[in-house]
Amino acid sequence: MSLSTDIVRWRYKLLPDHVVGEILTKKWVDSAIPFLALVLLIFGFGPFVPHFFELTTLSNLARQFSEFGLLVLGLTVVMISGGIDLSIGSVFALSVLTQLIGMNVEGWSFTTSLLATLGVGVLCGAINGAMVGYVRMRAFLTTLVTLVIYRSIFDLVFPQFSTAIVTTQPDSPMLDTLGDGTIGGIPVSFAITAVIAIALHVVLSRTRYGWRLLAVGGARRSAFNAGINVRWTIFSAYVFGSVLCSLSGFLFAARIGSAASDVGAGLELQALTATVLGGISLGGGRGTVAKAVMGAVFVLLLSNSLLTMAVSGPGADLILGLILILAVFLDVRWTKNRHKLLRNVYISPTYAKLPAPLSADEGSSSPLAPNDTLRDVGVIGLGILEGAEDVIFDRNDILYTGNRHGDILKWFPPNYTRYEVLAHIGGSPLGMAFDRDGRLNVCVAGMGLYQVEMDGTVRRLTAETNRSLFSIVDDSNMKLADDLDIAPDGSIYFSEATTRFEMHDWYADALESRGNGRIIRYDPATKQTKTILPDLVFPNGICMSHDNQSFLFAESWACRISKYYFDGPKKGSVEVVIANLPGYPDNINRSSDGGYWVALMGMRTPALDLALEMPGFRRRMARRCSEDVWLMPNLNTGCVLKFDETGEVSESLWDLGGKNHPMITSMREHKGVLYLCGIFNNRMGTYRLPDADPTFCGVDSYWGPAK
Amino acid sequence: MSLFDRLLGRGRASVTVPVMDGPFLPNQKLEAAEVLTPLSEADNLLPHQGALHASSGAKLVRLGLAGGVEIVETFNAPISALASRGAALAVALDGHGVEIRGGAFDGKSIPAHGEGLRCVTAAAWLSDQELLVCSGSAVARPHEWRRSLMQLDVSGTILRVDLKTGTISKLAGDLAWPAGIAVAGGQIFVAESWRHRILAMPLSGGAAQPALAGLPAYPARISPGASGGFWLSFYSVRNQLVEFILQEHVYRRRMIAEIPEPFWMAPSLSSGHNFKEPMQGSQLKQMGILKPYSVSRSYGLVAYCDARMMPVGSFHSRADGRRHGTVGCCEFGDVLYVASKGSNAVMRIASPMTALSE
């Protein structure tokens, strides 16, 4: 092996690039960019701006945040609902005015003026909400107009009271506490905002109202079709947003105690910058409180720093505007390209060089020499039986199999032309095994491990296992439960082929050829589910050995059959039985002569074997080429092998070119006949074995003769 | 090709294959065509002295119009091209130059000195004593066409052979496997296979211009049609994965060096004979059926172009069919004969112009 292949091998061993794709599937990556921007700002500006990290600066910042943060949260709610509120600056100004008139001029009590101020917020929000939600006017224009109207009202009223406001001071301890009191060193107003933020986070992420808000913002029509009261939801979002604005105004007035004629002007620009920068989508439906908070802190830090560095007001506005443009640009590009990016990076093939295969040359004397034994065989259910992955028989010769519609079918002897549906599970029923009590246990792709009683009752045994410590995707749920077998003590061992892909994307896992799968044990006594063998390369067939201490399992993309000891002196160890199959093994089942049958779903091809050594080539192929043209194993070949306990192959049965049986996924010997299944085939094959025991029945082989 | 393009798969690094549409809209007419006769390695169909001739490996054969194969002569190497003019027949042999049978230069043999005539893929008479010859490659032989494609070989030339003086002059060079040639209307048409196009060169000399480009398949021979146009035969269709591998130089080189040729991921005259042949996603048989629209390494395609080399219509044998590797065809007595080298047979389509528009 040359140095360059060593480098490739180690690079794929040490750098797990599939992690990138898995991180991108997480919802929280949306917050990664604003978070990075915030960190950059703190460490980029911190050392240069005087007093940046001092306590008084932080305390001052906290008070400013309590007001600005509420504004941003209010705008966030409106934006999540799919709208926009430009009038927040004017509502803020009106609220400040109301509070000052109430407390300074009219001498209302704290509670009365708080209620009056919030009432102004409700009124303003209701006007916006009614026009946008019920009259269905454009949010942008509507709130632009109300911005002007509310501002005009402020400009008309303010001069009447401006002198009175500055000449009298209210006598309210509550107000003073709100303005500059602290609780344990934390400003009171900050504590209020923090509580509101946490409450809002819970509402948005954990309650029905929050979900409906997100649904309406994300897809208004779908939300309507789903029965959500879209108009009311939008209306309420505007009202809620305005109330937060007015509370913000109240806190501001409590802190400052007076107002200038330009109070609140330009706040909408700042708040909008904060939300968009935080990653709250302008298109609606996406956004969290955490993002809003990050955006708000960013804008506050930036504007304060600019102020400290003596940048003029218009200059600071200019910088803020430029940042808003940049944030909007990033928002648009990210929303548009996130899925593309994910699709491009999710499939991440790894170095998977296979050992040279066992020779299967035509005309050789090897037991693997191809033949056409399986080309002309008996057929069951042609055109009716769609997608039988596995088959099993009970002691009465009744045949059980699954199909792609999610049914368990029961076919009756002797001709197997009559059938009935035993049970409908859903998903894709794959491997099957009878337990000691004659119940049928089935692995169902996309669902988990199920049990079917002979009266048709379906029971879920397990669909969840322990989550592994360092996995990024949640691997506790089961994506592709594949095959199972049952140990003498009743515990069920089953394989989950991959934790990274759904069943219909199985070929993407083939392209990756990484150890994405695992073998899981379910103990019916304790009902415990536990992963016992992680990181297997598409573990597929499982079959109890005749020694009752171990089971054989096939790893498809590794072309390997191994043995795991669950009992006896070698308990817990894994031994490789066949390391270099000429094809990709699927299900394994017992044969009547004490050996095992294994189905090869497809054959190795030199072109694919070479690609397996070149992960970069496969990754680019996955990105550039359509799935229809990807290199795959040669699946249009049917092949079944018989091997013994030592891994010696004694016989091979083929359908070259897959005339009747391409991609054989399972086979089962029953009373001298071998039954052949294919998950993408529309039939089942029967081949009479010349030298087999004509009385062999799998159920007896496991659980002894019928009592 | 810029690094940026290669990283993102854009521009020249993109791997898009033209879709079979318009005049190339798929049908099953070639697959359903009547078999005139089975003929191993059927190739080089042409009328000569009022009879239909073809090559079968090293054998020159005469085909009865109702069936029946008569061996005319067996050569010492596979026949790679035939050209007829009156009584004269030029026979190009794989690796061994050109032999003349009949006519003024009967029995003349032009050896394959050096690289010149080792790889004659097509020939056409220019006059009674001048022969135009496509030399597919300076490094490969005619049967190594896949190797030439996968090596990005552009060493093909068009040569003019003067039989009287024995001089050979080069008309054009640096071609990517010229595989077909026809002279008509004062122009020489050349099929440049690996660039999926037909070139036109004025007889009076001058640069070659593409007459038809962006073909969805690799063109092989050009055969004049009875109604003034041309029949194009094709090696196989283009495959997105093959185009991709042609840009993946490490994989491509290792594949050529390490894998036996029949198992390459490369176009082919026929496919599905061995389980070691590569398989692609859409080729998986689903519910007992191989989809005719799945991608394929081998394909049967014959197209008709008008006198200006504009495609008019085509006959197909698709991914689920057998009549693949249709490298030769000729129209003779209102019947189109097609040689399917991939399935070792000669097919006949009666009244081909009517069949095209059906």
Side-chain angles (χ1 to χ4, degrees):
Chain A
M1 191 175 284
S2 71
L3 179 67
S4 62
T5 51
D6 276 341
I7 292 172
V8 172
R9 200 158 53 91
W10 280 102
R11 174 241 178 278
Y12 281 94
K13 207 166 186 177
L14 297 176
L15 291 178
D17 37 4
H18 62 288
V19 168
V20 179
E22 292 181 359
I23 288 174
L24 275 176
T25 63
K26 296 287 173 187
K27 270 193 149 177
W28 47 256
V29 285
D30 274 359
S31 313
I33 294 174
F35 183 74
L36 276 177
L38 190 58
V39 170
L40 275 178
L41 183 81
I42 290 172
F43 290 98
F45 268 58
F48 303 105
V49 176
H51 318 299
F52 191 88
F53 292 114
E54 282 176 21
L55 200 63
T56 45
T57 321
L58 290 180
S59 162
N60 186 25
L61 194 70
R63 286 183 198 281
Q64 283 184 43
F65 174 79
S66 59
E67 294 145 20
F68 185 61
L70 282 178
L71 270 181
V72 173
L73 287 175
L75 185 58
T76 298
V77 171
V78 174
M79 280 171 67
I80 285 176
S81 79
I84 195 162
D85 191 349
L86 297 176
S87 68
I88 52 172
S90 306
V91 176
F92 179 83
L94 278 182
S95 307
V96 171
L97 186 63
T98 312
Q99 196 266 16
L100 290 176
I101 291 174
M103 301 222 49
N104 291 19
V105 182
E106 303 293 341
W108 295 343
S109 74
F110 177 83
T111 318
T112 315
S113 59
L114 178 63
L115 287 176
T117 311
L118 294 183
V120 168
V122 170
L123 186 65
C124 293
I127 293 170
N128 284 339
M131 287 201 284
V132 177
Y134 285 101
V135 190
R136 303 194 58 184
M137 289 161 68
R138 294 283 170 123
F140 186 88
L141 272 181
T142 310
T143 55
L144 188 66
V145 170
T146 51
L147 176 151
V148 177
I149 293 174
Y150 299 160
R151 190 88 219 167
S152 308
I153 296 172
F154 175 83
D155 287 343
L156 288 173
V157 177
F158 182 67
Q160 319 280 327
F161 294 93
S162 56
T163 326
I165 286 170
V166 279
T167 46
T168 47
Q169 285 296 321
D171 181 27
S172 164
M174 283 283 275
L175 197 67
D176 295 340
T177 313
L178 203 60
D180 42 37
T182 58
I183 310 172
I186 299 168
V188 173
S189 55
F190 181 79
I192 291 172
T193 303
V195 168
I196 288 174
I198 290 167
L200 187 59
H201 171 75
V202 172
V203 167
L204 282 182
S205 60
R206 300 286 188 278
T207 68
R208 190 176 291 176
Y209 178 75
W211 295 341
R212 287 184 174 172
L213 204 60
L214 286 158
V216 167
R220 190 184 171 120
R221 185 176 294 263
S222 303
F224 178 79
N225 290 343
I228 296 173
N229 189 340
V230 171
R231 293 176 176 197
W232 159 251
T233 309
I234 291 177
F235 174 81
S236 64
Y238 280 92
V239 173
F240 190 67
S242 273
V243 168
L244 288 184
C245 278
S246 57
L247 184 61
S248 166
F250 190 85
L251 293 180
F252 176 84
R255 180 162 67 94
I256 306 291
S258 67
S261 61
D262 66 343
V263 65
L267 262 184
E268 59 281 339
L269 175 74
Q270 285 192 25
L272 203 57
T273 310
T275 47
V276 177
L277 200 72
I280 289 144
S281 174
L282 283 165
R286 287 194 309 130
T288 60
V289 169
K291 289 176 182 175
V293 168
M294 280 194 285
V297 171
F298 184 97
V299 168
L300 272 183
L301 276 178
L302 186 73
S303 47
N304 281 358
S305 302
L306 291 174
L307 202 66
T308 325
M309 294 198 301
V311 177
S312 65
D317 281 351
L318 179 70
I319 292 174
L320 218 55
L322 290 177
I323 288 176
L324 177 60
I325 290 276
L326 182 72
V328 170
F329 171 78
L330 284 177
D331 175 62
V332 170
R333 302 302 296 176
W334 176 254
T335 317
K336 192 178 162 204
N337 293 316
R338 182 186 167 178
H339 296 99
K340 272 196 231 169
L341 183 68
L342 177 62
R343 199 183 56 213
N344 272 339
V345 301
Y346 194 76
I347 297 179
S348 60
T350 190
Y351 181 84
K353 186 184 164 81
L354 293 172
L358 289 171
S359 163
D361 292 326
E362 248 162 298
S364 72
S365 58
S366 148
L368 278 159
N371 50 60
D372 267 332
T373 314
L374 298 186
R375 178 159 297 178
D376 298 307
V377 292
V379 169
I380 294 175
L382 179 63
I384 305 168
L385 187 52
E386 293 182 335
E389 204 263 355
D390 197 8
V391 58
I392 198 162
F393 291 84
D394 67 11
R395 290 190 177 98
N396 304 319
D397 301 337
I398 296 174
L399 182 160
Y400 299 86
T401 184
N403 67 8
R404 62 172 176 174
H405 309 295
D407 302 326
I408 301 295
L409 303 180
K410 198 173 167 182
W411 292 73
F412 297 97
N415 300 321
Y416 300 108
T417 48
R418 188 168 66 84
Y419 74 98
E420 63 184 40
V421 175
L422 172 64
H424 177 79
I425 303 178
S428 277
L430 302 178
M432 300 191 285
F434 276 112
D435 64 15
R436 193 181 292 276
D437 303 320
R439 287 176 300 220
L440 189 60
N441 297 275
V442 189
C443 278
V444 185
M447 293 175 77
L449 181 64
Y450 281 70
Q451 191 172 64
V452 183
E453 300 269 8
M454 284 305 106
D455 63 0
T457 316
V458 175
R459 188 182 305 121
R460 185 177 77 189
L461 294 185
T462 179
E464 211 174 300
T465 179
N466 51 311
R467 183 170 176 169
S468 44
L469 198 55
F470 295 108
S471 72
I472 291 170
V473 288
D474 183 1
D475 63 355
S476 61
N477 62 340
M478 291 174 197
K479 285 208 165 88
L480 216 179
D482 199 325
D483 192 23
L484 74 162
D485 213 349
I486 303 173
D489 70 350
S491 50
I492 300 173
Y493 294 90
F494 62 105
S495 57
E496 198 197 357
T498 173
T499 55
R500 270 171 62 79
F501 297 95
E502 302 292 338
M503 182 176 157
H504 57 266
D505 280 334
W506 60 276
Y507 43 80
D509 197 78
L511 204 66
E512 285 200 344
S513 285
R514 188 189 290 98
N516 292 332
R518 55 192 173 176
I519 288 177
I520 302 167
R521 174 174 182 260
Y522 171 75
D523 185 349
T526 60
K527 301 200 190 304
Q528 292 284 309
T529 310
K530 196 165 171 24
T531 304
I532 53 166
L533 288 172
D535 304 330
L536 301 178
V537 186
F538 210 83
N540 205 324
I542 287 197
C543 180
M544 284 297 144
S545 307
H546 295 286
D547 65 10
N548 284 334
Q549 295 186 347
S550 59
F551 61 78
L552 295 153
F553 63 94
E555 284 176 87
S556 292
W557 316 140
C559 298
R560 183 165 63 203
I561 295 175
S562 311
K563 188 184 247 187
Y564 172 78
Y565 289 88
F566 53 82
D567 204 358
K570 292 188 193 167
K571 186 174 178 175
S573 63
V574 172
E575 275 173 13
V576 174
V577 178
I578 309 180
N580 51 350
L581 284 165
Y584 298 81
D586 205 311
N587 285 7
I588 309 175
N589 283 315
R590 288 180 178 180
S591 73
S592 57
D593 59 359
Y596 306 92
W597 294 105
V598 60
L600 299 186
M601 67 165 105
M603 303 308 293
R604 285 170 64 176
T605 67
L608 180 57
D609 281 1
L610 175 61
L612 289 176
E613 294 174 38
M614 301 171 67
F617 168 80
R618 302 207 306 286
R619 187 179 61 240
R620 287 187 293 278
M621 179 172 81
R623 287 184 195 174
R624 307 270 168 83
C625 300
S626 111
E627 292 164 8
D628 284 354
V629 308
W630 289 359
L631 271 182
M632 277 199 191
N634 194 324
L635 300 163
N636 285 342
T637 304
C639 183
V640 172
L641 306 179
K642 190 155 82 178
F643 65 99
D644 64 15
E645 211 78 47
T646 61
E648 193 70 36
V649 177
S650 58
E651 197 179 348
S652 65
L653 309 170
W654 297 72
D655 177 7
L656 292 170
K659 294 277 182 293
N660 271 314
H661 292 284
M663 197 175 177
I664 298 177
T665 50
S666 185
M667 75 272 100
R668 182 91 56 179
E669 183 181 338
H670 181 73
K671 298 198 173 166
V673 177
L674 192 66
Y675 294 82
L676 308 156
C677 304
I679 192 167
F680 294 122
N681 212 340
N682 60 346
R683 70 197 78 180
M684 190 181 289
T686 59
Y687 171 66
R688 183 157 289 283
L689 295 162
D691 308 315
D693 173 5
T695 61
F696 176 80
C697 172
V699 178
D700 294 342
S701 156
Y702 278 83
W703 312 114
K707 287 167 197 105
Chain B
M1 194 186 300
S2 75
L3 185 70
F4 193 66
D5 279 354
R6 292 202 52 177
L7 273 176
L8 295 171
R10 291 178 177 167
R12 285 189 60 195
S14 63
V15 279
T16 44
V17 170
V19 285
M20 292 272 196
D21 205 351
F24 292 100
L25 192 71
N27 53 54
Q28 295 282 17
K29 290 173 187 170
L30 203 50
E31 182 64 22
E34 183 192 340
V35 175
L36 175 69
T37 176
L39 184 68
S40 72
E41 296 179 63
D43 200 351
N44 292 308
L45 283 172
L46 86 170
H48 176 59
Q49 292 190 308
L52 182 65
H53 284 67
S55 74
S56 169
K59 291 193 277 286
L60 176 68
V61 298
R62 190 180 293 129
L63 302 176
L65 297 188
V69 180
E70 182 193 340
I71 297 174
V72 179
E73 187 178 347
T74 303
F75 292 86
N76 58 2
I79 297 168
S80 61
L82 291 175
S84 158
R85 183 180 176 95
L89 183 71
V91 183
L93 301 175
D94 191 332
H96 290 87
V98 179
E99 308 260 334
I100 308 295
R101 294 290 179 267
F105 300 94
D106 184 23
K108 191 173 172 77
S109 166
I110 304 137
H113 35 201
E115 62 194 41
L117 299 177
R118 284 177 67 229
C119 184
V120 176
T121 50
W125 291 89
L126 203 53
S127 66
D128 285 341
Q129 66 168 37
E130 276 185 311
L131 194 61
L132 277 177
V133 156
C134 286
S135 170
S137 162
V139 293
R141 304 244 306 256
H143 68 274
E144 296 174 316
W145 61 276
R146 285 143 57 96
R147 192 168 288 271
S148 166
L149 168 65
M150 298 317 282
Q151 283 175 337
L152 307 175
D153 177 13
V154 284
S155 60
T157 48
I158 306 299
L159 305 172
R160 186 208 298 252
V161 182
D162 190 318
L163 296 174
K164 202 171 195 175
T165 62
T167 53
I168 298 175
S169 51
K170 190 162 97 173
L171 291 187
D174 299 332
L175 299 175
W177 196 266
I181 192 160
V183 183
Q187 293 203 100
I188 305 170
F189 291 103
V190 173
E192 197 184 11
S193 279
W194 307 160
R195 291 194 180 119
H196 340 100
R197 60 184 183 175
I198 308 294
L199 298 174
M201 280 184 277
L203 260 181
S204 49
Q209 295 294 329
L212 173 60
L215 287 166
Y218 301 104
R221 301 208 170 74
I222 308 172
S223 170
S227 36
F230 303 92
W231 292 99
L232 300 185
S233 53
F234 293 84
Y235 285 100
S236 179
V237 279
R238 291 163 72 179
N239 183 315
Q240 197 190 20
L241 186 60
V242 173
E243 311 256 314
F244 172 70
I245 288 173
L246 288 175
Q247 295 176 7
E248 287 284 329
H249 302 308
V250 180
Y251 182 84
R252 189 175 59 78
R253 289 196 193 102
R254 285 193 64 184
M255 181 176 84
I256 293 171
E258 298 171 20
I259 297 178
E261 194 178 319
F263 308 142
W264 285 1
M265 184 55 230
S268 171
L269 295 180
S270 64
S271 54
H273 302 300
N274 193 302
F275 64 83
K276 288 183 183 170
E277 286 178 28
M279 200 191 104
Q280 295 175 267
S282 57
Q283 289 167 1
L284 172 62
K285 273 193 183 175
Q286 301 261 12
M287 300 297 138
I289 294 171
L290 174 65
K291 305 284 185 242
Y293 46 81
S294 67
V295 294
S296 182
R297 290 185 305 125
S298 62
Y299 198 88
L301 176 63
V302 171
Y304 181 74
C305 296
D306 65 13
R308 293 173 302 125
M309 223 17 118
M310 284 298 110
V312 175
S314 52
F315 300 121
H316 297 246
S317 169
R318 306 176 72 187
D320 61 337
R322 290 181 303 144
R323 304 296 174 201
H324 292 179
T326 48
V327 289
C329 66
C330 78
E331 193 180 342
F332 182 55
D334 200 32
V335 177
L336 179 73
Y337 296 93
V338 180
S340 162
K341 205 171 184 174
S343 68
N344 296 317
V346 177
M347 282 92 67
R348 66 189 296 274
I349 298 173
S351 309
M353 299 310 289
T354 325
L356 268 186
S357 50
E358 265 167 10

